[in-house]
Amino acid sequence: MDAIVDPDDETRPGLRDWKPWFAEYDNQDSSMAQRLVVVQRGIRRALDEAPAGSIKILSLCAGEGRDLIPVLAEHPRRGDVHARLIEFDPVTARVARDAATAAGLDGAVDVVTGDAADPARFGDYAPADLLLLCGIFGNITEADIQNTATRAANLTARGGTAIWTRHRFDPAVIPRIHGWFTAAGFSDLWESDSELPTAVYVAGNRQERDPAPSPDDKKLFTFVK
């Protein structure tokens, strides 16, 4: 049996060359590829439902931008989008930057190399109409998950969508994550099919409140793996 790849586990020790890891996206049977499909579907829905005017997108730990860039490239609202993708690894960030250029999204997509947990990197892209928190919650403590969900209230515009991922392995923290988003003013929009592999869970939440100013400039989270 093939080993199960947890798509949220992006910091496995010893993995210096990211290409083999990202290549899992090209294996349609992998957990990562299945998660990607769900995330992309959620992005399309958020763009479809966005009101007329500018659409700001903030993607933390954006990787190669495989979730957002292909969707934007084909979406009729691409001209309304201003997106910032933040990725720590410079090689991976360059791949995302090149993909945006190849898709003709130079003016729409800004790829920043740096710590995605640092609010100083967000600029005027927050509060965003679409906040992507993919591949994060499986790599940080529950306290940091709660902090990030709480701070998402400051990072997401009223009516905006936050999309997040987390595996369904024990301990079962997903119900608590939903509770933290609810406490932060979000309503549940959708979640991924329970028949997907245990390594795959994706959810979309809508911000029902006006975003308050950020309470501080502390980091949202720290990776522990």
Side-chain angles (χ1 to χ4, degrees), residues 178-212:
H178 277 285
W180 295 328
F181 273 99
T182 298
F186 289 84
S187 61
D188 292 339
L189 274 180
W190 52 266
E191 63 180 353
S192 53
D193 193 325
S194 61
E195 294 183 0
L196 287 169
T198 306
V200 178
Y201 182 84
V202 188
N205 295 75
R206 174 174 291 153
Q207 175 58 274
E208 304 292 355
R209 303 175 186 168
D210 291 329

mmCIF file of all heavy atoms in Angstrom, residues 178-212:
data_model
loop_
_atom_site.group_PDB
_atom_site.id
_atom_site.type_symbol
_atom_site.label_atom_id
_atom_site.label_comp_id
_atom_site.label_asym_id
_atom_site.label_seq_id
_atom_site.Cartn_x
_atom_site.Cartn_y
_atom_site.Cartn_z
ATOM 1 N N HIS A 178 -14.193 25.079 13.976
ATOM 2 C CA HIS A 178 -15.443 25.714 13.558
ATOM 3 C C HIS A 178 -15.972 26.635 14.655
ATOM 4 O O HIS A 178 -16.472 27.734 14.376
ATOM 5 C CB HIS A 178 -16.487 24.648 13.197
ATOM 6 C CG HIS A 178 -16.355 24.117 11.805
ATOM 7 N ND1 HIS A 178 -16.755 24.840 10.698
ATOM 8 C CD2 HIS A 178 -15.872 22.943 11.339
ATOM 9 C CE1 HIS A 178 -16.524 24.126 9.603
ATOM 10 N NE2 HIS A 178 -15.984 22.979 9.967
ATOM 11 N N GLY A 179 -15.848 26.185 15.899
ATOM 12 C CA GLY A 179 -16.302 27.013 17.011
ATOM 13 C C GLY A 179 -15.501 28.299 17.130
ATOM 14 O O GLY A 179 -16.066 29.368 17.423
ATOM 15 N N TRP A 180 -14.204 28.228 16.880
ATOM 16 C CA TRP A 180 -13.377 29.431 16.967
ATOM 17 C C TRP A 180 -13.727 30.410 15.849
ATOM 18 O O TRP A 180 -13.750 31.626 16.066
ATOM 19 C CB TRP A 180 -11.900 29.040 16.904
ATOM 20 C CG TRP A 180 -11.461 28.231 18.088
ATOM 21 C CD1 TRP A 180 -11.944 28.327 19.372
ATOM 22 C CD2 TRP A 180 -10.482 27.191 18.110
ATOM 23 N NE1 TRP A 180 -11.321 27.415 20.187
ATOM 24 C CE2 TRP A 180 -10.418 26.707 19.453
ATOM 25 C CE3 TRP A 180 -9.650 26.617 17.157
ATOM 26 C CZ2 TRP A 180 -9.554 25.673 19.824
ATOM 27 C CZ3 TRP A 180 -8.792 25.593 17.526
ATOM 28 C CH2 TRP A 180 -8.747 25.136 18.842
ATOM 29 N N PHE A 181 -14.002 29.899 14.654
ATOM 30 C CA PHE A 181 -14.426 30.782 13.575
ATOM 31 C C PHE A 181 -15.792 31.404 13.880
ATOM 32 O O PHE A 181 -16.016 32.588 13.610
ATOM 33 C CB PHE A 181 -14.465 30.033 12.239
ATOM 34 C CG PHE A 181 -13.153 30.028 11.501
ATOM 35 C CD1 PHE A 181 -12.310 28.927 11.563
ATOM 36 C CD2 PHE A 181 -12.754 31.124 10.750
ATOM 37 C CE1 PHE A 181 -11.097 28.915 10.891
ATOM 38 C CE2 PHE A 181 -11.542 31.132 10.074
ATOM 39 C CZ PHE A 181 -10.709 30.022 10.143
ATOM 40 N N THR A 182 -16.683 30.616 14.449
ATOM 41 C CA THR A 182 -17.998 31.149 14.819
ATOM 42 C C THR A 182 -17.854 32.275 15.834
ATOM 43 O O THR A 182 -18.486 33.334 15.714
ATOM 44 C CB THR A 182 -18.887 30.037 15.393
ATOM 45 O OG1 THR A 182 -19.105 29.039 14.389
ATOM 46 C CG2 THR A 182 -20.236 30.595 15.834
ATOM 47 N N ALA A 183 -17.011 32.068 16.844
ATOM 48 C CA ALA A 183 -16.790 33.092 17.864
ATOM 49 C C ALA A 183 -16.177 34.354 17.266
ATOM 50 O O ALA A 183 -16.355 35.453 17.807
ATOM 51 C CB ALA A 183 -15.889 32.547 18.973
ATOM 52 N N ALA A 184 -15.476 34.199 16.144
ATOM 53 C CA ALA A 184 -14.842 35.339 15.489
ATOM 54 C C ALA A 184 -15.775 36.028 14.491
ATOM 55 O O ALA A 184 -15.340 36.952 13.793
ATOM 56 C CB ALA A 184 -13.574 34.886 14.773
ATOM 57 N N GLY A 185 -17.032 35.596 14.460
ATOM 58 C CA GLY A 185 -18.011 36.270 13.610
ATOM 59 C C GLY A 185 -18.275 35.618 12.270
ATOM 60 O O GLY A 185 -18.947 36.195 11.415
ATOM 61 N N PHE A 186 -17.767 34.409 12.088
ATOM 62 C CA PHE A 186 -17.956 33.710 10.824
ATOM 63 C C PHE A 186 -19.140 32.754 10.895
ATOM 64 O O PHE A 186 -19.448 32.198 11.945
ATOM 65 C CB PHE A 186 -16.707 32.897 10.465
ATOM 66 C CG PHE A 186 -15.518 33.712 10.060
ATOM 67 C CD1 PHE A 186 -14.660 34.243 11.015
ATOM 68 C CD2 PHE A 186 -15.241 33.936 8.725
ATOM 69 C CE1 PHE A 186 -13.549 34.977 10.650
ATOM 70 C CE2 PHE A 186 -14.124 34.677 8.346
ATOM 71 C CZ PHE A 186 -13.286 35.202 9.305
ATOM 72 N N SER A 187 -19.790 32.557 9.756
ATOM 73 C CA SER A 187 -20.785 31.498 9.616
ATOM 74 C C SER A 187 -20.200 30.399 8.738
ATOM 75 O O SER A 187 -19.294 30.634 7.935
ATOM 76 C CB SER A 187 -22.075 32.041 8.989
ATOM 77 O OG SER A 187 -21.826 32.568 7.684
ATOM 78 N N ASP A 188 -20.711 29.182 8.907
ATOM 79 C CA ASP A 188 -20.258 28.066 8.082
ATOM 80 C C ASP A 188 -20.898 28.162 6.699
ATOM 81 O O ASP A 188 -22.121 28.289 6.585
ATOM 82 C CB ASP A 188 -20.641 26.736 8.721
ATOM 83 C CG ASP A 188 -19.889 26.467 10.016
ATOM 84 O OD1 ASP A 188 -18.815 27.070 10.217
ATOM 85 O OD2 ASP A 188 -20.376 25.655 10.826
ATOM 86 N N LEU A 189 -20.070 28.085 5.657
ATOM 87 C CA LEU A 189 -20.577 28.108 4.288
ATOM 88 C C LEU A 189 -20.667 26.708 3.694
ATOM 89 O O LEU A 189 -21.696 26.306 3.167
ATOM 90 C CB LEU A 189 -19.653 28.960 3.406
ATOM 91 C CG LEU A 189 -19.878 30.458 3.341
ATOM 92 C CD1 LEU A 189 -18.838 31.088 2.399
ATOM 93 C CD2 LEU A 189 -21.279 30.780 2.867
ATOM 94 N N TRP A 190 -19.580 25.997 3.761
ATOM 95 C CA TRP A 190 -19.518 24.662 3.166
ATOM 96 C C TRP A 190 -18.350 23.898 3.773
ATOM 97 O O TRP A 190 -17.478 24.479 4.410
ATOM 98 C CB TRP A 190 -19.371 24.738 1.639
ATOM 99 C CG TRP A 190 -18.245 25.614 1.161
ATOM 100 C CD1 TRP A 190 -18.317 26.929 0.803
ATOM 101 C CD2 TRP A 190 -16.860 25.250 1.024
ATOM 102 N NE1 TRP A 190 -17.081 27.403 0.448
ATOM 103 C CE2 TRP A 190 -16.164 26.398 0.558
ATOM 104 C CE3 TRP A 190 -16.141 24.076 1.225
ATOM 105 C CZ2 TRP A 190 -14.800 26.399 0.307
ATOM 106 C CZ3 TRP A 190 -14.769 24.069 0.979
ATOM 107 C CH2 TRP A 190 -14.125 25.219 0.523
ATOM 108 N N GLU A 191 -18.357 22.586 3.580
ATOM 109 C CA GLU A 191 -17.239 21.753 3.982
ATOM 110 C C GLU A 191 -17.077 20.625 2.974
ATOM 111 O O GLU A 191 -18.001 20.315 2.219
ATOM 112 C CB GLU A 191 -17.434 21.181 5.387
ATOM 113 C CG GLU A 191 -18.622 20.262 5.524
ATOM 114 C CD GLU A 191 -18.780 19.725 6.945
ATOM 115 O OE1 GLU A 191 -17.905 19.963 7.785
ATOM 116 O OE2 GLU A 191 -19.797 19.061 7.197
ATOM 117 N N SER A 192 -15.913 20.021 2.957
ATOM 118 C CA SER A 192 -15.626 18.968 1.998
ATOM 119 C C SER A 192 -16.395 17.687 2.333
ATOM 120 O O SER A 192 -16.858 17.487 3.454
ATOM 121 C CB SER A 192 -14.119 18.690 1.947
ATOM 122 O OG SER A 192 -13.605 18.439 3.247
ATOM 123 N N ASP A 193 -16.499 16.834 1.348
ATOM 124 C CA ASP A 193 -17.231 15.570 1.468
ATOM 125 C C ASP A 193 -16.540 14.661 2.481
ATOM 126 O O ASP A 193 -15.325 14.461 2.434
ATOM 127 C CB ASP A 193 -17.272 14.898 0.090
ATOM 128 C CG ASP A 193 -18.266 13.745 0.026
ATOM 129 O OD1 ASP A 193 -18.430 13.040 1.041
ATOM 130 O OD2 ASP A 193 -18.864 13.548 -1.042
ATOM 131 N N SER A 194 -17.307 14.089 3.380
ATOM 132 C CA SER A 194 -16.748 13.211 4.411
ATOM 133 C C SER A 194 -16.206 11.913 3.826
ATOM 134 O O SER A 194 -15.492 11.174 4.509
ATOM 135 C CB SER A 194 -17.812 12.896 5.467
ATOM 136 O OG SER A 194 -18.915 12.223 4.885
ATOM 137 N N GLU A 195 -16.537 11.607 2.570
ATOM 138 C CA GLU A 195 -16.042 10.391 1.949
ATOM 139 C C GLU A 195 -14.628 10.551 1.391
ATOM 140 O O GLU A 195 -14.021 9.575 0.943
ATOM 141 C CB GLU A 195 -16.996 9.959 0.823
ATOM 142 C CG GLU A 195 -18.373 9.548 1.326
ATOM 143 C CD GLU A 195 -19.270 9.057 0.210
ATOM 144 O OE1 GLU A 195 -18.815 9.030 -0.958
ATOM 145 O OE2 GLU A 195 -20.414 8.679 0.500
ATOM 146 N N LEU A 196 -14.092 11.767 1.424
ATOM 147 C CA LEU A 196 -12.721 11.977 0.997
ATOM 148 C C LEU A 196 -11.765 11.337 2.007
ATOM 149 O O LEU A 196 -12.154 11.032 3.138
ATOM 150 C CB LEU A 196 -12.439 13.479 0.881
ATOM 151 C CG LEU A 196 -13.074 14.185 -0.319
ATOM 152 C CD1 LEU A 196 -12.945 15.698 -0.180
ATOM 153 C CD2 LEU A 196 -12.449 13.707 -1.629
ATOM 154 N N PRO A 197 -10.508 11.117 1.628
ATOM 155 C CA PRO A 197 -9.554 10.511 2.569
ATOM 156 C C PRO A 197 -9.464 11.287 3.872
ATOM 157 O O PRO A 197 -9.710 12.500 3.921
ATOM 158 C CB PRO A 197 -8.225 10.575 1.800
ATOM 159 C CG PRO A 197 -8.615 10.586 0.365
ATOM 160 C CD PRO A 197 -9.907 11.356 0.305
ATOM 161 N N THR A 198 -9.082 10.588 4.940
ATOM 162 C CA THR A 198 -8.978 11.207 6.256
ATOM 163 C C THR A 198 -8.006 12.379 6.250
ATOM 164 O O THR A 198 -8.131 13.312 7.049
ATOM 165 C CB THR A 198 -8.541 10.159 7.291
ATOM 166 O OG1 THR A 198 -9.434 9.045 7.241
ATOM 167 C CG2 THR A 198 -8.557 10.739 8.698
ATOM 168 N N ALA A 199 -7.034 12.341 5.341
ATOM 169 C CA ALA A 199 -6.049 13.415 5.273
ATOM 170 C C ALA A 199 -6.617 14.698 4.690
ATOM 171 O O ALA A 199 -5.941 15.723 4.684
ATOM 172 C CB ALA A 199 -4.848 12.971 4.441
ATOM 173 N N VAL A 200 -7.860 14.654 4.213
ATOM 174 C CA VAL A 200 -8.424 15.810 3.505
ATOM 175 C C VAL A 200 -9.651 16.354 4.227
ATOM 176 O O VAL A 200 -10.647 15.648 4.424
ATOM 177 C CB VAL A 200 -8.833 15.433 2.062
ATOM 178 C CG1 VAL A 200 -9.463 16.635 1.357
ATOM 179 C CG2 VAL A 200 -7.636 14.920 1.284
ATOM 180 N N TYR A 201 -9.567 17.608 4.642
ATOM 181 C CA TYR A 201 -10.738 18.342 5.109
ATOM 182 C C TYR A 201 -10.546 19.801 4.728
ATOM 183 O O TYR A 201 -9.505 20.398 5.008
ATOM 184 C CB TYR A 201 -10.938 18.235 6.621
ATOM 185 C CG TYR A 201 -12.189 18.957 7.078
ATOM 186 C CD1 TYR A 201 -13.426 18.336 7.017
ATOM 187 C CD2 TYR A 201 -12.137 20.281 7.536
ATOM 188 C CE1 TYR A 201 -14.586 19.000 7.403
ATOM 189 C CE2 TYR A 201 -13.287 20.946 7.919
ATOM 190 C CZ TYR A 201 -14.509 20.296 7.854
ATOM 191 O OH TYR A 201 -15.659 20.963 8.229
ATOM 192 N N VAL A 202 -11.567 20.353 4.078
ATOM 193 C CA VAL A 202 -11.534 21.746 3.645
ATOM 194 C C VAL A 202 -12.858 22.389 4.029
ATOM 195 O O VAL A 202 -13.915 21.770 3.903
ATOM 196 C CB VAL A 202 -11.336 21.875 2.116
ATOM 197 C CG1 VAL A 202 -11.114 23.336 1.725
ATOM 198 C CG2 VAL A 202 -10.189 21.013 1.635
ATOM 199 N N ALA A 203 -12.810 23.623 4.493
ATOM 200 C CA ALA A 203 -14.035 24.320 4.861
ATOM 201 C C ALA A 203 -13.962 25.775 4.420
ATOM 202 O O ALA A 203 -12.882 26.359 4.325
ATOM 203 C CB ALA A 203 -14.278 24.251 6.371
ATOM 204 N N GLY A 204 -15.137 26.330 4.164
ATOM 205 C CA GLY A 204 -15.255 27.746 3.851
ATOM 206 C C GLY A 204 -16.178 28.419 4.853
ATOM 207 O O GLY A 204 -17.246 27.890 5.179
ATOM 208 N N ASN A 205 -15.750 29.559 5.375
ATOM 209 C CA ASN A 205 -16.543 30.321 6.340
ATOM 210 C C ASN A 205 -16.698 31.759 5.855
ATOM 211 O O ASN A 205 -15.781 32.315 5.262
ATOM 212 C CB ASN A 205 -15.873 30.313 7.713
ATOM 213 C CG ASN A 205 -15.818 28.934 8.330
ATOM 214 O OD1 ASN A 205 -15.017 28.106 7.930
ATOM 215 N ND2 ASN A 205 -16.661 28.672 9.299
ATOM 216 N N ARG A 206 -17.849 32.350 6.135
ATOM 217 C CA ARG A 206 -18.120 33.727 5.707
ATOM 218 C C ARG A 206 -18.102 34.662 6.908
ATOM 219 O O ARG A 206 -18.738 34.391 7.943
ATOM 220 C CB ARG A 206 -19.459 33.822 4.998
ATOM 221 C CG ARG A 206 -19.889 35.272 4.656
ATOM 222 C CD ARG A 206 -21.153 35.282 3.827
ATOM 223 N NE ARG A 206 -20.890 34.760 2.496
ATOM 224 C CZ ARG A 206 -21.820 34.158 1.733
ATOM 225 N NH1 ARG A 206 -23.036 33.980 2.190
ATOM 226 N NH2 ARG A 206 -21.493 33.739 0.523
ATOM 227 N N GLN A 207 -17.422 35.784 6.780
ATOM 228 C CA GLN A 207 -17.361 36.785 7.845
ATOM 229 C C GLN A 207 -18.648 37.605 7.830
ATOM 230 O O GLN A 207 -19.014 38.206 6.817
ATOM 231 C CB GLN A 207 -16.148 37.689 7.654
ATOM 232 C CG GLN A 207 -16.052 38.855 8.634
ATOM 233 C CD GLN A 207 -16.029 38.402 10.080
ATOM 234 O OE1 GLN A 207 -17.082 38.208 10.670
ATOM 235 N NE2 GLN A 207 -14.842 38.241 10.630
ATOM 236 N N GLU A 208 -19.338 37.611 8.956
ATOM 237 C CA GLU A 208 -20.626 38.300 9.055
ATOM 238 C C GLU A 208 -20.512 39.655 9.747
ATOM 239 O O GLU A 208 -21.505 40.356 9.892
ATOM 240 C CB GLU A 208 -21.634 37.421 9.811
ATOM 241 C CG GLU A 208 -21.835 36.023 9.220
ATOM 242 C CD GLU A 208 -22.527 36.035 7.872
ATOM 243 O OE1 GLU A 208 -22.941 37.121 7.409
ATOM 244 O OE2 GLU A 208 -22.644 34.955 7.250
ATOM 245 N N ARG A 209 -19.311 40.023 10.197
ATOM 246 C CA ARG A 209 -19.123 41.276 10.912
ATOM 247 C C ARG A 209 -18.169 42.194 10.158
ATOM 248 O O ARG A 209 -17.413 41.750 9.295
ATOM 249 C CB ARG A 209 -18.535 41.013 12.304
ATOM 250 C CG ARG A 209 -19.329 40.086 13.203
ATOM 251 C CD ARG A 209 -18.542 39.828 14.481
ATOM 252 N NE ARG A 209 -19.175 38.835 15.340
ATOM 253 C CZ ARG A 209 -18.585 38.262 16.386
ATOM 254 N NH1 ARG A 209 -17.335 38.604 16.700
ATOM 255 N NH2 ARG A 209 -19.226 37.359 17.115
ATOM 256 N N ASP A 210 -18.202 43.465 10.514
ATOM 257 C CA ASP A 210 -17.176 44.377 10.018
ATOM 258 C C ASP A 210 -15.875 44.054 10.730
ATOM 259 O O ASP A 210 -15.858 43.843 11.952
ATOM 260 C CB ASP A 210 -17.564 45.833 10.296
ATOM 261 C CG ASP A 210 -18.745 46.286 9.466
ATOM 262 O OD1 ASP A 210 -18.896 45.786 8.334
ATOM 263 O OD2 ASP A 210 -19.517 47.134 9.950
ATOM 264 N N PRO A 211 -14.764 43.988 10.011
ATOM 265 C CA PRO A 211 -13.494 43.636 10.657
ATOM 266 C C PRO A 211 -13.015 44.743 11.585
ATOM 267 O O PRO A 211 -13.046 45.923 11.236
ATOM 268 C CB PRO A 211 -12.538 43.451 9.473
ATOM 269 C CG PRO A 211 -13.122 44.292 8.386
ATOM 270 C CD PRO A 211 -14.622 44.215 8.565
ATOM 271 N N ALA A 212 -12.580 44.341 12.761
ATOM 272 C CA ALA A 212 -12.004 45.299 13.701
ATOM 273 C C ALA A 212 -10.517 45.443 13.401
ATOM 274 O O ALA A 212 -9.909 44.573 12.777
ATOM 275 C CB ALA A 212 -12.212 44.813 15.132
#
